[in-house]
């Protein structure tokens, strides 16, 4: 009986499918759709064969594929170190390929090769509006400049005490593995605070610790806790004192914590230098020179972008590489003559680094992590 019932139900279903309730409008739409689908499939195949619109399986990103092919062909075994000349040839090959691909695509697709071609590979560089970003940073660095004579308004501290404080903060940043930008921000906050508020020498370290705390909160993913700064200062200051000073510093800075630092400009200039023969040793040497200037009160009068450009020029000169190219001049906005004074003072700091009493920066960059650039000898002559 059950089998006979199932067969009856199936037969009724087939009868229902043969004789549904007819809807004329639905039939017209269905017939038009089937006719368009059939004709479109034939015409699409003909267009694909005749060189019109490419079939789906032919659509590809030619630039991405060609770039990856060049990169794969240029790869070397992991244990083989490329010479400087070989690396330059590989970069030149990539630049020529990208230039050939972008040629003839219209004015709106033109880019500045080879810099933009290299930045296009990294989405973080924001190559579409990187020039506007750094034009804004050039304006921002002027807004947060301090007077080169601000230390004269301080009665109980001097430039030497400031250098000692920053030398200690370099060790703190290394102890807690803070990113380099945090150190530059902390020094900027210290100078801007000291330019307006008289500070006793017994409270100078408290200002430094608090500015490092604020910079860590602004820049770090996992900033050290307040208790960590109490510990690192050998319990000289209580937790409540640091929190109170934090409020004073923030109010004095008017909560303007996003500033243009030397490190931000250096990263941009190094992207340009990598299009030439700049290697990792030259990059670390630039970072070393920039951090040496943090302790020097004499460099407060220079813009962060000017210090970054001078450090790059000094590093290239030390490594006996072409010191300044038209592309570097265009991106940095500084001609060789404009960097001369800053380079002269940086050269003097570079030469006396080995005999300086403050050795935190030099010991930091003497490690293999930074390719021991602190052990390099300064050039015999300034640039």
């Amino acid at each position: 009986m059950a089998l006979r019932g199932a067969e009856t139900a199936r037969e009724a279903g087939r009868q229902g499918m043969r004789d549904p309730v007819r809807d004329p409008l639905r039939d017209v739409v269905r017939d038009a759709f089937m006719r368009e689908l059939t004709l479109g499939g034939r015409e699409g195949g003909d267009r694909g064969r005749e060189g019109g619109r490419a079939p789906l399986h032919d659509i590809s990103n030619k630039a991405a594929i060609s770039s990856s092919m060049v990169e794969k062909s240029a790869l070397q075994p992991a244990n083989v170190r490329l010479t400087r000349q070989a690396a330059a040839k590989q970069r030149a090959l990539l630049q020529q390929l990208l230039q050939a691909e972008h040629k003839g695509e219209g004015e709106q697709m033109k880019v500045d090769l080879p810099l933009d071609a290299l930045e296009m590979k990294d989405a973080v560089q924001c190559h579409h509006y990187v020039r506007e970003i750094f034009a804004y940073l050039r304006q921002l660095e002027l807004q947060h400049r301090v007077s080169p004579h601000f230390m004269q308004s301080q009665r109980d501290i001097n430039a030497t005490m400031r250098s000692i404080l920053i030398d200690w903060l370099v060790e703190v940043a290394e102890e807690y593995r803070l990113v380099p930008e945090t150190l530059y921000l902390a020094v900027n906050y210290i100078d801007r605070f000291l330019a307006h508020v008289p500070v006793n020498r017994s409270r100078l370290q408290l200002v430094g610790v608090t500015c490092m705390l604020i910079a860590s909160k602004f820049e770090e993913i996992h900033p050290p806790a307040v208790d960590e700064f109490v510990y690192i200062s050998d319990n000289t200051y209580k937790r409540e004192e640091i929190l109170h000073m934090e409020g004073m510093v923030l109010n004095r800075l008017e909560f303007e914590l996003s500033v243009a630092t030397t490190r931000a400009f250096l990263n941009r200039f190094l992207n340009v230098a990598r299009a030439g023969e700049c290697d990792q040793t030259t990059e670390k040497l630039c970072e070393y020179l920039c951090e040496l200037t943090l302790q020097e009160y004499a460099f407060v009068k220079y813009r962060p972008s000017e210090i970054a450009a001078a450090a790059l020029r000094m590093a290239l000169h030390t490594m006996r590489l072409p010191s300044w190219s038209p592309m570097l001049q265009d991106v940095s906005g500084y001609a060789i003559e404009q960097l001369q004074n800053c380079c002269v003072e940086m050269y003097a700091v570079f030469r006396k680094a080995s005999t300086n009493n403050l050795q935190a920066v030099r010991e930091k960059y003497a490690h293999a992590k930074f390719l021991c650039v602190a052990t390099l000898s300064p050039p015999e002559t300034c640039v």
Side-chain angles (χ1 to χ4, degrees):
M1 294 295 293
L3 291 176
R4 188 178 299 111
E7 291 176 358
T8 304
R10 284 196 295 270
E11 184 64 20
R14 285 194 293 267
Q15 292 293 335
M17 292 177 64
R18 294 194 193 101
D19 300 320
V21 178
R22 306 293 292 181
D23 186 350
L25 179 61
R26 183 176 61 185
D27 293 342
V28 171
V29 173
R30 183 186 60 186
D31 295 339
F33 174 76
M34 295 300 296
R35 183 167 55 254
E36 182 68 18
L37 180 63
T38 304
L39 295 176
R42 294 174 182 174
E43 293 174 0
D46 296 338
R47 284 197 298 268
R49 288 188 294 270
E50 294 173 0
R53 179 191 295 178
L56 182 61
H57 62 272
D58 289 341
I59 297 175
S60 59
N61 189 340
K62 297 181 180 180
I65 294 177
S66 57
S67 300
S68 61
M69 291 175 61
V70 173
E71 293 175 357
K72 291 180 180 180
S73 63
L75 288 176
Q76 299 290 336
N79 58 346
V80 176
R81 182 177 180 180
L82 287 176
T83 63
R84 187 176 300 160
Q85 292 79 5
K89 290 181 180 179
Q90 291 181 5
R91 287 192 293 268
L93 178 61
L94 176 60
Q95 295 164 15
Q96 293 174 3
L97 179 60
L98 291 173
Q99 190 173 13
E101 290 172 351
H102 287 283
K103 186 176 181 180
E105 293 184 4
E107 292 297 330
Q108 68 277 10
M109 294 298 294
K110 289 184 178 179
V111 295
D112 296 329
L113 294 172
L115 175 60
D116 289 353
L118 296 176
E119 289 178 340
M120 284 167 55
K121 298 167 58 180
D122 188 1
V124 179
Q125 299 298 331
C126 303
H127 71 279
H128 293 292
Y129 40 86
V130 64
R131 292 184 179 273
E132 288 76 9
I133 291 176
F134 280 90
Y136 168 73
L137 292 180
R138 293 292 293 269
Q139 299 176 0
L140 195 63
E141 68 176 347
L142 297 178
Q143 298 178 10
H144 298 121
R145 291 187 70 184
V146 297
S147 170
H149 310 291
F150 75 86
M151 196 59 71
Q152 295 178 0
S153 62
Q154 297 288 339
R155 298 182 178 180
D156 201 35
I157 60 176
N158 53 37
T160 303
M161 296 179 185
R162 173 188 177 275
S163 300
I164 296 173
L165 173 64
I166 296 176
D167 185 76
W168 177 72
L169 289 178
V170 172
E171 297 179 353
V172 173
E174 279 297 291
E175 177 69 22
Y176 291 105
R177 300 180 180 178
L178 305 180
V179 297
E181 183 68 15
T182 302
L183 177 63
Y184 286 90
L185 288 176
V187 174
N188 178 274
Y189 300 161
I190 291 171
D191 289 342
R192 289 165 59 194
F193 184 79
L194 295 181
H196 297 90
V197 180
V199 177
N200 296 328
R201 64 180 64 188
S202 61
R203 311 286 287 181
L204 181 60
Q205 188 180 13
L206 176 60
V207 174
V209 166
T210 304
C211 289
M212 181 65 82
L213 171 64
I214 297 173
S216 300
K217 289 182 178 181
F218 184 83
E219 190 67 29
E220 301 290 335
I221 298 177
H222 301 290
V226 179
D227 295 334
E228 294 290 343
F229 289 100
V230 174
Y231 168 78
I232 203 68
S233 60
D234 198 18
N235 296 309
T236 305
Y237 309 105
K238 297 180 181 179
R239 174 187 175 89
E240 292 74 16
E241 292 179 291
I242 295 179
L243 294 177
H244 177 70
M245 181 58 71
E246 181 182 14
M248 290 182 58
V249 173
L250 290 174
N251 287 326
R252 180 65 264 180
L253 301 182
E254 298 179 347
F255 289 85
E256 294 183 359
L257 305 180
S258 179
V259 298
T261 63
T262 303
R263 182 75 184 196
F265 289 104
L266 182 62
N267 292 337
R268 169 65 172 167
F269 300 161
L270 286 176
N271 287 335
V272 182
R274 292 189 189 103
E277 298 183 4
C278 179
D279 54 10
Q280 289 189 356
T281 303
T282 308
E283 294 179 17
K284 296 301 179 184
L285 182 57
C286 290
E287 298 173 8
Y288 171 57
L289 294 174
C290 287
E291 287 199 22
L292 282 178
T293 63
L294 288 178
Q295 304 172 355
E296 301 295 329
Y297 176 68
F299 281 85
V300 174
K301 61 179 177 286
Y302 296 112
R303 300 181 184 182
S305 59
E306 188 174 359
I307 296 175
L312 178 56
R313 187 184 173 206
M314 179 65 66
L316 292 172
H317 176 64
T318 304
M319 302 302 294
R320 299 180 181 179
L321 298 174
S323 58
W324 212 241
S325 64
M327 184 181 296
L328 283 172
Q329 179 174 335
D330 176 64
V331 174
S332 66
Y334 293 103
I336 295 180
E337 297 77 14
Q338 296 175 292
L339 300 175
Q340 189 62 32
N341 294 334
C342 187
C343 287
V344 170
E345 293 195 39
M346 186 176 294
Y347 178 69
V349 172
F350 191 14
R351 288 188 64 88
K352 73 173 186 179
S354 59
T355 59
N356 194 353
N357 294 329
L358 306 177
Q359 291 287 310
V361 176
R362 191 168 187 274
E363 291 176 357
K364 170 183 175 180
Y365 283 89
H367 293 166
K369 174 184 177 181
F370 298 98
L371 304 181
C372 305
V373 293
T375 61
L376 295 175
S377 300
E380 296 181 357
T381 59
C382 184
V383 291

